[in-house]
Amino acid sequence: MNIQDPSTARTTKFGIGQPVLRTEDPKLLRGEGRYTDDINLPGQAYAAIVRSRHAHGIIRSIDTDTARKMPGVLAVYTGADIAQYGPLKSNLPFKSRDGSDMKKPRRQALPSDKVRFVGDPVACVVAESFQQAKDAAEAVTVEIDPLPAVTNPGEAVRAGAPALYDDAPGNIALDFHYGDANKVAAAFAGAKHAVKVKLINSRMIVNAIEPRAAIGIYDSTKERFTLHTCSQGVMGLRAGLSEILGVTPDKLRVLTDNVGGSFGMKAQPYPEQVCVLHAARALGRPVKWNDERSSSFLSDNHGRDHEQTAELALDDAGHFLALRLTGYGNLGGYMGAMAPQPPTLNVVRNVISLYRTPLMEVSTKCVFTNTSFVSPYRGAGRPEGNYFMERLIDYAAAVTGIDRIELRRRNQIRPREMPYKAASGSTYDSGDFPVILKEALEVSDWKGFNQRKRESKKRGLLRGIGLGCYLEVTAPPNKEMGGIRFEPDGNVTIVTGTLDYGQGHATPFAQVLSEKLGIPFERIRLVQGDSDQLLAGGGTGGSRSMMNSGTAIVEASAKVIEQGKTIASHALEASVGDIEFANGRFVVAGTDRAISIMELADKLRAGMQLPPGTPTSLDVRHVSEGVPAAYPNGCHVAEIELDPATGQIEVMKYSSVNDFGNIINPLMVNGQVHGGVLQGIGQALLERTVYDDEGQLLSGSYMDYTMPRAHNAPDFTVVSHPVPAKTNPLGVKGCGEAGCAGGLASVMNAVVDALSVYGIKHIDMPATPERVWQAIREAQNKQ
């Protein structure tokens, strides 16, 4: 009889690679989660924000007298009241092509001079109840001299366009350039084929389930702030806010509990957080603010909004010679903390994707407009870059007559070329791109498409199929904490500085620790959202959480084992050199004398006597230096049906093959892919952000902005083809943003494929029924 060690059985069931259910789901499904809105403190007051109704104008006066006299009102603050605080800003060190520094106009939490978008906060009202604060906010009279507005970056740079800032001529914050323009120009001049297409990566409103919220607290005896807020990482937010407040980081504690989605939007400081912290100190009581959906449409950072003219040069055999992007990135009315990164450096890193492209040039003007400010949104330049390349390849295939699959095959980087130094400066360490393409064609039944197309035609419908290959460069290294704490109640706590805002970190992190130390999975807890318990933390973003926290946990586990060997040598009365560790047990080599790590922890809690100089705890507070970027990649295939009479599109079939390196939890990875793909479908077909000529947001509610719903989700086929990364000890590559990267390109390529019967080679996102119907009518009129 084969009797398996119980600790080994637990590791097998809950270790790396197992589809373990998310541990937090039962609590969340029962409504027992703890979000910022669930927190109510004794004596708390409530804040409401007064927002500009003009997209652009000079503030002449703000009359708060009536509001101050209303029932329950405790205070009304304007820009003059909080002028002592520092600005909200970007710390990115970008330089323009002429070597000058990026323009970073000052943004105060509440402006005193001008408003620059509809929804710009201009005052904060604090009252005994939320309704009283809201009523009083309506009574604040803001006199603004309206100025002309501009919402499109291409129009904002034209002579005579409204100027948002005196110190940003032409509304240009950054004139970004990457590459050797002369070499790229020479490659195009000598190319057999050169294709050009203008591509718009449309503006997105983030629409997380949980609106932004914040509760400010001030302890006058300790002169210390505490902020409860939804975020993507408490350490980064603490650093940014403490600088704004003018205090050292130890004078601010940031706490984040459950978070109902973010996708990049909750990663940076916002004016409302500054307002509630100021009010808490001024009033001597906690102050709570909760956004409403109508104002979140206006004031949350938006995503994407890039316009690029994409060009590809090819030789007579269809090999890529050079890639050139020239265009704009819309920053909105203010400089977001990460705003210039997506349309510049992140596009550079990702646009070449998995194709052998010797030369590239990217020229992007980052431009201020009278719209809500733009910052990262799921992928932050990664899906955009891959979309530009994949649409360009399909366009080139249509122009040159080379089959779109064959064109990709001829230019894909081969495994034998690894490590591969790309023209972007990145070095790809691993991947098997040709095999993944082959698998994706098989899984999607690409060969059977023509039969399905004929069946659709019998019903008066057009059918299209499209693929999107992608390669993403994950976020760069950052220091990350890997704390392991053996608690008095017998549980073990992981402390790390990433932050779960829907991904479900507790489960895969516990799987890693369970495998490395043999700790029972059900005994493992996770702390991420308390800055007082962290030594470092890069937060969550850029598909790097498992790479960074996973590495920190692996390194911390090694330290626990080393400390444990010393302690176990005394418990087992053996020399340290004879102690081995495996399957959660410290064993005297060559004997059956052993003690499990949990038993050793129990002995330490019970007061185990140890010689001086011996570690007295298994606890570790470790900071990992971080690991290099990884390169998740894959190929997605979308199949759509299109009704030419109405322009209505339905995604009928969706398949993907992905290389995420070693997979910790396949169940959760598939969920991440599903979510990312559906967001990609939303952007490709449904979601449209519209401002009028005066800068008013016309798509400011769910009546006007179409979010994807359950019926928009196709059946997903998700296949894993892991090629372990060589850049981190777990061999993982990151998966959180890949669905968007594959989804945008595959769906839009499928739409254009269906429309190709009319000679249409391109249509911009979103391919709404109105746009599709109009494109068909225009094409028919030309025929």
Side-chain angles (χ1 to χ4, degrees):
M1 180 183 295
N2 181 19
I3 301 175
Q4 189 176 27
D5 185 288
S7 64
T8 305
R10 283 194 297 268
T11 300
T12 301
K13 184 178 179 181
F14 295 107
I16 291 173
Q18 299 303 308
V20 183
L21 294 174
R22 293 176 15 142
T23 54
E24 69 269 32
D25 282 353
K27 183 176 74 171
L28 296 178
L29 291 170
R30 291 193 300 265
E32 297 171 1
R34 189 172 188 257
Y35 298 84
T36 304
D37 185 43
D38 294 318
I39 301 168
N40 291 291
L41 304 174
Q44 76 182 16
Y46 296 81
I49 303 297
V50 181
R51 301 188 183 279
S52 172
R53 298 179 182 180
H54 296 278
H56 197 197
I58 298 171
I59 300 173
R60 293 302 182 192
S61 66
I62 302 176
D63 187 348
T64 64
D65 288 346
T66 300
R68 292 178 191 276
K69 296 173 184 176
M70 292 179 69
V73 173
L74 301 170
V76 182
Y77 304 112
T78 65
D81 299 303
I82 60 171
Q84 72 268 32
Y85 299 120
L88 286 74
K89 63 181 182 180
S90 169
N91 290 317
L92 296 176
F94 280 114
K95 290 184 180 293
S96 289
R97 69 170 69 210
D98 63 3
S100 63
D101 290 334
M102 178 173 67
K103 302 293 190 298
K104 299 180 182 180
R106 188 179 181 89
R107 183 192 185 183
Q108 294 299 125
L110 299 177
S112 299
D113 55 349
K114 290 174 70 174
V115 293
R116 293 176 172 88
F117 68 96
V118 172
D120 206 350
V122 294
C124 174
V125 178
V126 183
E128 294 288 355
S129 73
F130 171 70
Q131 193 58 53
Q132 288 173 330
K134 190 175 179 181
D135 289 344
E138 292 286 339
V140 174
T141 303
V142 185
E143 185 179 341
I144 295 173
D145 287 349
L147 295 170
V150 61
T151 61
N152 179 277
E155 295 174 2
V157 301
R158 291 175 183 166
L164 273 72
Y165 298 96
D166 293 338
D167 54 347
N171 292 314
I172 298 173
L174 175 67
D175 184 7
F176 176 86
H177 182 263
Y178 178 91
D180 189 319
N182 292 331
K183 288 183 178 179
V184 170
F188 271 89
K192 176 69 174 179
H193 304 285
V195 295
K196 177 192 291 188
V197 59
K198 184 178 180 181
L199 300 168
I200 295 176
N201 206 286
S202 48
R203 176 180 281 246
M204 305 297 291
I205 296 173
V206 177
N207 284 311
I209 291 176
E210 177 200 22
R212 291 186 294 113
I215 304 172
I217 307 164
Y218 185 72
D219 185 337
S220 59
T221 59
K222 297 180 180 178
E223 297 183 334
R224 191 171 194 243
F225 293 98
T226 298
L227 178 69
H228 291 270
T229 194
C230 35
S231 76
Q232 289 186 203
V234 294
M235 294 300 276
L237 193 58
R238 185 183 74 163
L241 282 170
S242 61
E243 184 178 356
I244 293 168
L245 295 170
V247 299
T248 55
D250 62 294
K251 291 296 183 181
L252 172 63
R253 182 185 189 187
V254 179
L255 294 163
T256 295
D257 291 286
N258 293 122
V259 179
S262 174
F263 312 112
M265 182 263 291
K266 296 171 182 172
Q268 62 190 342
Y270 275 85
E272 296 87 355
Q273 294 163 333
V274 179
C275 288
V276 297
L277 289 169
H278 169 79
R281 179 162 60 178
L283 298 173
R285 57 194 291 189
V287 177
K288 181 176 184 177
W289 168 78
N290 267 70
D291 208 356
E292 296 181 290
R293 188 63 65 183
S294 57
S295 59
S296 74
F297 266 85
L298 296 173
S299 63
D300 292 347
N301 82 242
H302 292 176
R304 314 283 194 231
D305 206 351
H306 309 155
E307 298 178 8
Q308 294 284 357
T309 297
E311 301 173 82
L312 186 64
L314 307 91
D315 66 15
D316 56 355
H319 297 126
F320 300 167
L321 301 176
L323 171 73
R324 183 162 56 200
L325 295 179
T326 308
Y328 304 99
N330 195 342
L331 298 178
Y334 295 98
M335 176 77 74
M338 293 290 292
Q341 183 101 350
T344 57
L345 191 56
N346 279 6
V347 164
V348 167
R349 289 171 174 164
N350 292 270
V351 68
I352 281 182
S353 185
L354 40 78
Y355 302 105
R356 198 182 301 103
T357 311
L359 295 167
M360 69 178 298
E361 181 184 7
V362 175
S363 302
T364 305
K365 288 183 171 65
C366 296
V367 181
F368 292 114
T369 65
N370 295 115
T371 59
S372 183
F373 72 103
V374 175
S375 224
Y377 173 75
R378 198 171 193 163
R382 298 170 182 87
E384 295 94 316
N386 282 279
Y387 172 74
F388 295 147
M389 177 59 99
E390 290 297 306
R391 280 299 301 125
L392 192 55
I393 293 174
D394 264 26
Y395 195 85
V399 170
T400 63
I402 302 173
D403 178 77
R404 51 183 165 161
I405 303 298
E406 179 58 28
L407 190 56
R408 287 173 169 84
R409 283 196 183 111
R410 291 182 190 179
N411 290 282
Q412 284 185 329
I413 300 161
R414 308 289 169 173
R416 66 176 179 272
E417 298 176 80
M418 299 293 179
Y420 180 83
K421 182 68 177 290
S424 62
S426 296
T427 299
Y428 305 162
D429 66 291
S430 58
D432 195 346
F433 313 139
V435 167
I436 285 176
L437 172 60
K438 179 175 180 292
E439 286 186 16
L441 297 176
E442 293 170 353
V443 167
S444 64
D445 186 23
W446 188 278
K447 290 182 179 179
F449 170 73
N450 286 333
Q451 175 61 34
R452 296 189 293 275
K453 184 175 182 177
R454 288 191 289 270
E455 292 169 356
S456 295
K457 187 176 181 180
K458 291 177 183 178
R459 293 181 282 113
L461 303 175
L462 302 174
R463 199 173 187 104
I465 191 168
L467 62 82
C469 296
Y470 73 90
L471 178 142
E472 291 192 306
V473 182
T474 62
N478 62 269
K479 291 187 176 184
E480 192 57 76
M481 183 173 176
I484 299 174
R485 203 165 61 209
F486 290 76
E487 305 287 7
D489 63 1
N491 291 320
V492 178
T493 299
I494 299 170
V495 184
T496 195
T498 53
L499 202 144
D500 173 4
Y501 48 89
Q503 294 91 339
H505 287 174
T507 300
F509 289 1
Q511 288 177 256
V512 172
L513 188 65
S514 180
E515 177 144 320
K516 295 302 177 182
L517 293 183
I519 295 170
F521 176 85
E522 65 276 7
R523 302 279 289 275
I524 300 172
R525 306 292 180 263
L526 177 64
V527 168
Q528 291 180 294
D530 182 352
S531 62
D532 275 6
Q533 297 193 49
L534 298 175
L535 299 176
T540 292
S543 296
R544 64 184 176 185
S545 291
M546 184 51 73
M547 292 163 51
N548 282 280
S549 283
T551 296
I553 292 167
V554 169
E555 293 174 355
S557 296
K559 291 193 170 189
V560 170
I561 292 170
E562 288 307 305
Q563 288 179 199
K565 285 181 177 180
T566 302
I567 300 168
S569 69
H570 297 285
L572 298 172
E573 298 179 345
S575 68
V576 175
D578 289 335
I579 302 297
E580 297 175 347
F581 183 81
N583 299 323
R585 299 196 310 160
F586 295 97
V587 181
V588 179
T591 75
D592 59 359
R593 292 160 54 205
I595 185 170
S596 75
I597 192 169
M598 299 305 285
E599 290 172 333
L600 190 59
D602 287 340
K603 283 183 172 293
L604 288 168
R605 279 190 291 270
M608 176 182 177
Q609 296 299 308
L610 293 167
T614 304
T616 58
S617 169
L618 293 171
D619 294 357
V620 166
R621 285 166 59 84
H622 170 68
V623 175
S624 170
E625 292 300 313
V627 293
Y631 303 93
N633 61 88
C635 182
H636 290 208
V637 180
E639 205 165 309
I640 63 103
E641 268 191 345
L642 187 157
D643 186 344
T646 65
Q648 186 70 38
I649 294 172
E650 182 178 357
V651 181
M652 307 299 295
K653 187 173 159 62
Y654 198 98
S655 311
S656 72
V657 179
N658 305 280
D659 170 15
F660 299 133
N662 289 331
I663 292 177
I664 306 300
N665 187 317
L667 185 67
M668 296 178 66
V669 165
N670 287 358
Q672 286 292 303
V673 174
H674 294 173
V677 168
L678 194 55
Q679 281 188 282
I681 291 172
Q683 181 175 359
L685 303 180
L686 302 166
E687 300 179 58
R688 188 180 178 199
T689 307
V690 181
Y691 285 92
D692 69 11
D693 291 340
E694 295 181 349
Q696 295 291 335
L697 181 64
L698 301 183
S699 53
S701 75
Y702 290 139
M703 295 293 290
D704 315 294
Y705 187 91
T706 308
M707 293 283 287
R709 300 185 179 184
H711 71 269
N712 299 116
D715 287 334
F716 296 101
T717 299
V718 181
V719 175
S720 176
H721 184 103
V723 180
K726 299 176 182 178
T727 54
N728 63 81
L730 289 171
V732 295
K733 291 185 176 179
C735 66
E737 296 158 325
C740 272
L744 292 181
S746 61
V747 171
M748 290 306 297
N749 282 342
V751 171
V752 175
D753 181 54
L755 293 173
S756 64
V757 296
Y758 301 105
I760 295 172
K761 292 186 177 66
H762 179 68
I763 186 172
D764 278 316
M765 300 184 289
T768 60
E770 176 193 10
R771 281 187 172 179
V772 172
W773 184 89
Q774 188 64 42
I776 292 172
R777 297 302 170 269
E778 290 176 358
Q780 288 175 328
N781 289 337
K782 292 177 182 177
Q783 291 176 351

